[in-house]
């Protein structure tokens, strides 16, 4: 059975939590793996509000050190501690985040019940962060006022399913079965040949998700996110505020749609909306003529890949 690959939006606003919208955070589930991307203020409240089972989060990825993307992290880590978590937690984030975390817990005289394995991210290209049998996670550079990275999650191909009728009519060596399920043809010592295409069902295509938090409009971004199944791209402003977007190194809804079109992605989700917009429908109106398959991110909504 194909594992679930889903993205749940916990927060989609920028700077100030208003209009019922919360600071940026997303919960990613791929099979048995749970990951959190960014952890703005109120993240753990949102996790509880939407009744998400977040105690088994193994990885947290922080894009940059603007408060609306990480100020909920200390609270979440503290709640893990109070719940007597014992499993190690891996955090990826920019230089300085490790000092912020350790300083807080040192001055609060807190000895966590679990260990934190911290890794510094850099914005110098595509970097592999996580490599498990099921997935790979990469960081890639964004262009913002602080060192900022996006994140690319790639599903790995699973074991192939054997055609049962073949197994009923032929007795395959164990070695052949193991090789075929891994997608490799098998040649026996006696010269027998078992091609994957004849003994296995076609493999379903793997899925990819790209997360682009705060960034100025940057066409070169397509190098890192080309042809992903789902793209989350910030759209802080409407095109009428393009000068403001450039000054603050953010993007407009139209620019996010242009990036999606240039990158040939399958679907675009807009987020990181400025507090000046209570009604977000104009964002959608601006993006759709440029890239048709686009939606506004909705807090509590889960997007299936």
């Amino acid at each position: 059975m194909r594992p679930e690959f889903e993205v749940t939006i916990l927060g989609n606003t920028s700077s100030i939590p208003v209009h019922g919208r919360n600071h940026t955070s997303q919960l990613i589930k791929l099979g048995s793996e749970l990951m959190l991307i960014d952890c703005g203020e109120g993240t753990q409240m949102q996790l509880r509000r939407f009744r998400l089972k977040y105690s088994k989060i193994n990885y947290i990825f922080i894009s940059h050190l603007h408060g609306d993307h990480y100020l909920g992290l200390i609270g979440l880590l503290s709640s893990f501690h109070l719940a007597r978590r014992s499993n190690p937690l891996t955090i990826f984030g920019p230089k300085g985040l490790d000092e912020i975390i350790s300083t807080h817990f040192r001055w609060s005289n807190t000895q966590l019940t679990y260990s934190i394995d911290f890794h510094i991210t850099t914005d110098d290209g595509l970097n592999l962060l996580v490599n498990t049998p099921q997935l790979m996670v990469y960081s890639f550079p964004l262009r913002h006022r602080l060192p900022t990275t996006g994140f690319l999650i790639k599903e790995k191909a699973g074991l192939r399913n054997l055609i049962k009728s073949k197994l009923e009519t032929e007795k395959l060596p164990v070695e052949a079965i193991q090789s075929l399920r891994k997608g490799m043809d098998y040649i026996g010592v006696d010269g027998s040949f078992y091609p994957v295409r004849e003994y296995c069902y076609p493999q379903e295509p793997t899925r990819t998700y790209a997360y682009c938090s705060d960034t100025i409009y940057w066409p070169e971004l397509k190098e890192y996110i080309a042809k992903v199944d789902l793209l989350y791209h910030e759209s802080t402003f409407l095109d009428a505020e393009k000068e403001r977007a450039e000054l603050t190194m953010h993007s407009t809804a139209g620019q996010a749609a242009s990036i999606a079109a240039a990158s040939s992605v399958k679907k675009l989700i807009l987020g990181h909306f400025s507090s000046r917009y209570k009604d977000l429908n104009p964002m959608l109106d601006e993006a759709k003529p440029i890239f048709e398959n686009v939606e506004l991110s909705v807090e509590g909504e889960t997007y299936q890949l």
Side-chain angles (χ1 to χ4, degrees):
M1 182 180 293
R2 199 178 197 196
E4 291 179 320
F5 192 172
E6 53 190 36
V7 178
T8 301
I9 305 297
L10 302 173
N12 62 7
T13 197
S14 67
S15 354
I16 303 171
V18 293
H19 311 310
R21 302 195 296 262
N22 293 268
H23 281 159
T24 301
S25 187
Q26 300 181 1
L27 185 69
I28 317 297
K29 183 178 188 296
L30 205 174
S32 59
E33 201 68 76
L34 276 181
M35 299 163 281
L36 190 72
I37 296 183
D38 277 342
C39 190
E41 182 183 353
T43 291
Q44 65 172 319
M45 298 297 291
Q46 292 291 86
L47 287 165
R48 290 179 180 276
R49 175 188 174 191
F50 300 125
R51 300 187 179 183
L52 298 168
K53 297 179 180 179
Y54 60 92
S55 61
K56 294 184 179 179
I57 290 173
N58 287 325
Y59 302 101
I60 296 178
F61 304 90
I62 302 298
S63 62
H64 64 295
L65 288 183
H66 279 153
D68 55 324
H69 290 262
Y70 85 91
L71 284 179
L73 182 59
I74 296 296
L76 181 62
L77 298 181
S78 298
S79 290
F80 283 156
H81 167 72
L82 294 171
R84 310 302 297 174
R85 178 189 176 110
S86 58
N87 292 334
L89 178 67
T90 303
I91 300 176
F92 295 89
K95 182 179 180 180
L97 180 60
D98 54 339
E99 183 180 350
I100 292 170
I101 294 171
S102 60
T103 298
H104 171 84
F105 288 120
R106 182 173 71 251
W107 285 100
S108 66
N109 194 26
T110 302
Q111 299 293 323
L112 296 176
T113 59
Y114 60 96
S115 62
I116 294 177
D117 185 16
F118 185 84
H119 297 266
I120 295 175
T121 53
T122 59
D123 58 353
D124 59 356
L126 189 69
N127 292 294
L128 179 63
L129 305 180
V130 176
N131 188 0
T132 75
Q134 199 165 40
L135 58 86
M136 293 180 292
V137 182
Y138 295 85
S139 65
F140 57 88
L142 298 173
R143 292 291 179 261
H144 194 44
R145 303 193 304 278
L146 291 176
T148 305
T149 59
F151 299 104
L152 179 68
I153 301 175
K154 290 188 172 185
E155 178 186 29
K156 286 186 178 180
L159 296 176
R160 290 183 176 238
N161 293 319
L162 294 165
I163 299 173
K164 291 183 179 180
S165 59
K166 289 283 188 180
L167 298 179
E168 293 171 354
T169 56
E170 300 181 48
K171 184 173 177 59
L172 273 64
V174 173
E175 295 82 1
I177 292 175
Q178 292 173 340
S179 179
L180 291 168
R181 294 208 68 199
K182 292 177 182 177
M184 299 180 291
D185 296 337
Y186 181 80
I187 300 177
V189 293
D190 59 355
S192 55
F193 178 54
Y194 302 95
V196 172
R197 67 178 182 274
E198 291 185 14
Y199 287 85
C200 294
Y201 291 106
Q203 184 77 296
E204 290 189 273
T206 56
R207 297 160 289 180
T208 51
Y209 173 61
Y211 170 86
C212 298
S213 66
D214 301 20
T215 183
I216 198 169
Y217 174 62
W218 187 42
E220 288 82 0
L221 189 58
K222 64 184 181 182
E223 173 186 345
Y224 303 105
I225 62 173
K227 298 181 180 180
V228 300
D229 293 280
L230 182 62
L231 168 66
Y232 176 95
H233 194 289
E234 75 124 290
S235 55
T236 308
F237 298 103
L238 291 168
D239 275 346
E241 298 286 345
K242 192 175 289 185
E243 289 185 6
R244 176 68 178 167
E246 186 173 353
L247 179 66
T248 58
M249 299 192 76
H250 283 295
S251 298
T252 69
Q255 290 171 338
S258 295
I259 290 291
S263 305
S264 300
V265 308
K266 292 183 180 177
K267 183 174 181 176
L268 169 65
I269 300 175
L270 302 176
H272 200 263
F273 309 117
S274 170
S275 60
R276 69 186 62 198
Y277 306 114
K278 184 174 183 180
D279 179 12
L280 298 176
N281 287 311
M283 293 271 183
L284 203 59
D285 295 338
E286 185 170 281
K288 262 190 176 296
I290 303 169
F291 187 80
E292 176 65 24
N293 193 15
V294 57
E295 291 184 25
L296 298 170
S297 61
V298 177
E299 294 184 6
E301 189 78 18
T302 296
Y303 300 86
Q304 304 285 344
L305 280 79

